[in-house]
Amino acid sequence: MRIAVTGFASLDHVLALDGVPTPGRTTTILSRPKDAWPRLGGSPAYVAAALAGNGIAGAVPITWVGDDADGARYSTGLADLSVLTDGVAVVEGSHTPIAVLAYDPNGGCSCLYHPAGRDDLGLTEEQRAIMAEVDWLCITVGPREATREALRLLPESARLCWVVKDDPRAMPLELAGQLAARADLICCSAAEADFVAAAFEKGGPPRPDAIIIETRGGAGAQVTAAGATSFVPSEDLTITDPTGAGDTFAGGALAALANGEGDPVEVVKAGHKAAFAL
């Protein structure tokens, strides 16, 4: 099973704060991981790691890093998780993207992301060759032209998963409409539900057999398939660092579908299990 996952790379710097950052006031960092500063991040890595952890040996991120030490660290991090690295393109003379994720005591997160000039990147020849052989394509937030090209190159026989991010710069509504109408699996948060609805209005109705999952944080997730909607609760779990939980959930759900699971409720449960194991 070959599953390509497109999107922005990232090395994440995660902080726990003593308050909400406010201009003119010093906010104290309470903690940061000693052995993970930075750590592997970005949607493609989280989705692909969940796929690999659920038996998909052909999970391959389609992403871009710089020709710096961080770029090498990113690829090494993927390999350590048994994720293929042949879809990682190195951009000469460029930095590897980074993110700073600062969690406040109220559960909020301030995210600062530096894409390192990757907004206009397209696919390399190596990445196009991977696209020609995929069984599934999973599109996360990434360079819009690369997303367009990946969608154009997607074989008719291949299936599509869209992991939603409401980011107009990377995902204009007309592109979102194309994805929504073609997708076999859509994973979004409750905050992104209106964006998905607008995408369907722009691109047309979902496929008859499409599965649409809307996560509701710690409460669980709503799943709609074949005109029926169900709510699947999740187990209680107290966490202070939910970075990557949504992408990991999507990877677990996609792995279940790719492995032959046909029950939408069981697909959601597989997503919950993957996110809990993060």
Side-chain angles (χ1 to χ4, degrees):
M1 179 66 65
R2 186 78 154 166
I3 302 180
V5 187
T6 68
F8 289 121
S10 179
L11 287 177
D12 291 348
H13 302 69
V14 180
L15 310 168
L17 305 178
D18 70 342
V20 178
T22 304
R25 173 187 176 275
T26 297
T27 302
T28 301
I29 298 172
L30 298 178
S31 65
R32 59 184 175 94
K34 291 200 310 185
D35 58 348
W37 184 264
R39 70 185 184 199
L40 185 67
S43 295
Y46 280 114
V47 173
L51 289 168
N54 283 276
I56 306 295
V60 53
I62 301 291
T63 192
W64 302 261
V65 298
D67 58 349
D68 52 12
D70 281 346
R73 179 180 293 165
Y74 180 88
S75 292
T76 298
L78 291 178
D80 288 345
L81 295 171
S82 300
V83 174
L84 301 175
T85 60
D86 48 327
V88 179
V90 177
V91 182
E92 294 185 6
S94 182
H95 295 295
T96 294
I98 65 166
V100 177
L101 300 119
Y103 289 94
D104 64 58
N106 301 324
C109 178
S110 298
C111 178
L112 305 176
Y113 181 66
H114 180 216
R118 285 182 171 60
D119 289 355
D120 60 351
L121 290 176
L123 300 179
T124 65
E125 288 301 321
E126 293 81 2
Q127 291 170 336
R128 293 187 189 102
I130 292 170
M131 283 297 311
E133 300 177 347
V134 297
D135 301 291
W136 275 88
L137 170 63
C138 178
I139 289 181
T140 73
V141 63
R144 58 185 175 275
E145 293 310 315
T147 299
R148 293 184 200 279
E149 189 174 4
L151 190 57
R152 287 196 303 268
L153 293 174
L154 183 64
E156 277 296 321
S157 60
R159 304 180 74 187
L160 176 66
C161 170
W162 178 27
V163 181
V164 178
K165 179 73 171 179
D166 185 0
D167 182 347
R169 178 193 56 170
M171 186 60 63
L173 187 57
E174 53 84 15
L175 180 55
Q178 294 179 50
L179 290 173
R182 175 65 172 82
D184 300 276
L185 172 65
I186 297 175
C187 295
C188 71
S189 68
E192 294 158 338
D194 288 345
F195 179 60
V196 173
F200 281 127
E201 289 182 9
K202 185 71 173 180
R207 289 190 162 197
D209 58 350
I211 297 175
I212 304 169
I213 302 173
E214 180 185 312
T215 57
R216 304 282 181 83
Q222 174 181 287
V223 59
T224 300
T229 298
S230 303
F231 186 80
V232 185
S234 64
E235 299 177 25
D236 290 334
L237 180 66
T238 300
I239 55 175
T240 57
D241 178 9
T243 308
D247 294 318
T248 302
F249 173 97
L254 175 53
L257 270 180
N259 284 325
E261 179 58 65
D263 184 343
V265 171
E266 292 303 318
V267 169
V268 173
K269 289 180 179 178
H272 283 155
K273 183 178 179 180
F276 269 60
L278 179 62

